[in-house]
Amino acid sequence: MQEKIIVLGSNGQIGTELVTMLRKIYGDDHVVACDIRRPDYDIKNSAPFEFVNVLDKEMINGIFKKYKPTQVYLLAALLSATGEQNPKLAWDLNMNGLLNVLDLALEYQVAKVYWPSSIAVFGPNSPKDNTSQYCVMDPNTVYGISKLAGERWCEYYNQKYGLDVRSIRYPGLISWKAAPGGGTTDYAIHIFHEALKKGSYQSFLSAETELPMMYMDDAIRGTIELMDAPADQISVRSSYNFSGVSFTPEVLAAEIRKHIPNFTLTYADNDPRQQIANSWPRSIDDHFAAKDWGWKPEFDLAKLTADMLNNLKKS
Ligand code: AKB
């Protein structure tokens, strides 16, 4: 079957790299990038781009009618930190954007839908270490609440209507090609830019705040591996736990010092993102992803640090 893939929210941190990879695999004309902002990275000139607001169901309807997609990726979202600044908008975008796409995917008989969830679905009473797929989940950010509700909707559309919707709970994603989108884990990207530019950085999270993270190359590969897996191997229809590497700002700084020996790290007091980080797990048990579709990360802390610094130096 000839695939026609629509990526909604193509211009963000994940979309920028996902679209590039999907176009490598399926060809430029088979992947339609859609966003409310015109892209400034390498999506721009190479292939189809459409302005789409995921809150405008008629607009998405027009795109589905025009392209008849076989696969849809919905990436448009407000993340944890920006979500707290505008909770109603975060709920509206994260929830109604998803429901619009799920409904239209059914109507247009889209073969597969991808929607990202997050470690933000866990909360203060979830276990902190090796957090399992099924445990107490009491998110206390609007982002986490919307992601947990979205997971339930994904499973509901799969079980009630047979829609093949697949999802991953991303940890903090570390990448150099596009800027991060207002998350609690963004310090782990800013730190690389500032280390190269100034030789110092002030972290908004404290020295000992350990969080699950992943290099973008692993995240993109894992996402496409999940989408390529046979449907009968997908036992989790809410969203899969997905693990890369866990570290604290202090440990990341020590790794950066292996490349930039004089790098100094200081810490800000009372940043609201600290509260969010404190409610999230330190590490994730992802054995369902390993068992169902063979997930295995390739980038550890040393490898991702070296790769980030090399690429940022060149760019
Ligand atoms: C955030 O920090 O909000 C995101 C996430 C973990 O989903 N990076």
Side-chain angles (χ1 to χ4, degrees):
M1 183 177 53
Q2 282 275 35
E3 298 287 349
K4 191 58 120 179
I5 302 175
I6 285 183
V7 181
L8 298 158
S10 59
N11 199 17
Q13 192 199 0
I14 302 172
T16 299
E17 300 208 27
L18 185 68
V19 166
T20 306
M21 183 57 78
L22 289 171
R23 285 186 174 154
K24 247 186 226 155
I25 299 170
Y26 294 103
D28 284 0
D29 292 341
H30 292 264
V31 181
V32 184
C34 305
D35 207 295
I36 47 168
R37 291 171 296 152
R38 186 168 282 287
D40 51 22
Y41 192 64
D42 62 3
I43 296 168
K44 186 158 50 186
N45 298 315
S46 56
F49 174 81
E50 301 275 358
F51 282 102
V52 177
N53 174 359
V54 297
L55 288 176
D56 188 336
K57 199 170 178 182
E58 269 320 296
M59 208 178 219
I60 311 175
N61 187 57
I63 297 298
F64 279 29
K65 198 184 242 167
K66 179 169 170 189
Y67 292 101
K68 312 222 165 17
T70 57
Q71 295 185 36
V72 173
Y73 289 75
L74 169 59
L75 306 177
L78 236 58
L79 297 188
S80 56
T82 37
E84 290 312 288
Q85 285 155 22
N86 198 339
K88 294 281 164 47
L89 175 65
W91 176 258
D92 191 25
L93 175 65
N94 297 357
M95 201 62 353
N96 292 319
L98 174 63
L99 291 172
N100 285 344
V101 169
L102 292 176
D103 282 340
L104 289 169
L106 276 182
E107 194 180 321
Y108 284 86
Q109 299 180 340
V110 175
K112 283 184 240 178
V113 176
Y114 179 81
W115 175 80
S117 184
S118 161
I119 55 162
V121 292
F122 299 109
N125 292 296
S126 305
K128 289 280 173 211
D129 295 304
N130 238 358
T131 306
S132 62
Q133 179 71 40
Y134 301 107
C135 61
V136 171
M137 297 169 92
D138 58 345
N140 59 10
T141 60
V142 69
Y143 173 63
I145 295 168
S146 69
K147 287 295 177 186
L148 185 54
E151 287 189 6
R152 305 317 306 148
W153 277 116
C154 288
E155 191 182 282
Y156 187 90
Y157 271 68
N158 176 260
Q159 292 182 353
K160 296 276 173 188
Y161 310 124
L163 185 67
D164 188 347
V165 48
R166 305 175 182 204
S167 176
I168 281 174
R169 291 173 181 156
Y170 289 128
L173 298 179
I174 298 174
S175 68
W176 56 273
K177 285 191 182 159
T184 301
T185 55
D186 291 5
Y187 91 86
I189 299 173
H190 299 151
I191 193 172
F192 286 102
H193 289 266
E194 299 297 297
L196 285 169
K197 238 191 285 164
K198 297 195 204 141
S200 64
Y201 177 64
Q202 185 176 65
S203 169
F204 56 77
L205 297 185
S206 67
E208 70 288 351
T209 307
E210 183 175 350
L211 287 172
M213 301 279 186
M214 184 180 288
Y215 202 45
M216 187 61 89
D217 297 43
D218 270 345
I220 298 294
R221 181 174 55 80
T223 303
I224 292 173
E225 283 173 7
L226 169 63
M227 288 298 271
D228 284 347
D232 60 4
Q233 278 174 224
I234 311 296
S235 70
V236 176
R237 287 297 183 167
S238 50
S239 187
Y240 277 96
N241 272 12
F242 191 54
S243 176
V245 55
S246 287
F247 53 77
T248 64
E250 199 64 16
V251 167
L252 177 54
E255 193 57 41
I256 291 174
R257 274 187 211 108
K258 293 181 185 165
H259 304 262
I260 305 171
N262 295 329
F263 174 63
T264 55
L265 184 60
T266 54
Y267 297 95
D269 273 341
N270 292 328
D271 190 286
R273 288 166 284 192
Q274 185 66 52
Q275 291 304 318
I276 300 176
N278 291 347
S279 75
W280 288 354
R282 286 187 283 260
S283 61
I284 298 290
D285 168 3
D286 63 359
H287 76 269
F288 282 97
K291 176 172 72 66
D292 289 0
W293 39 280
W295 168 243
K296 199 169 183 305
E298 281 174 5
F299 282 79
D300 60 12
L301 179 58
K303 198 169 165 192
L304 80 79
T305 302
D307 206 74
M308 274 298 277
L309 291 171
N310 280 341
N311 280 301
L312 285 175
K313 268 186 225 155
K314 283 189 247 153
S315 62

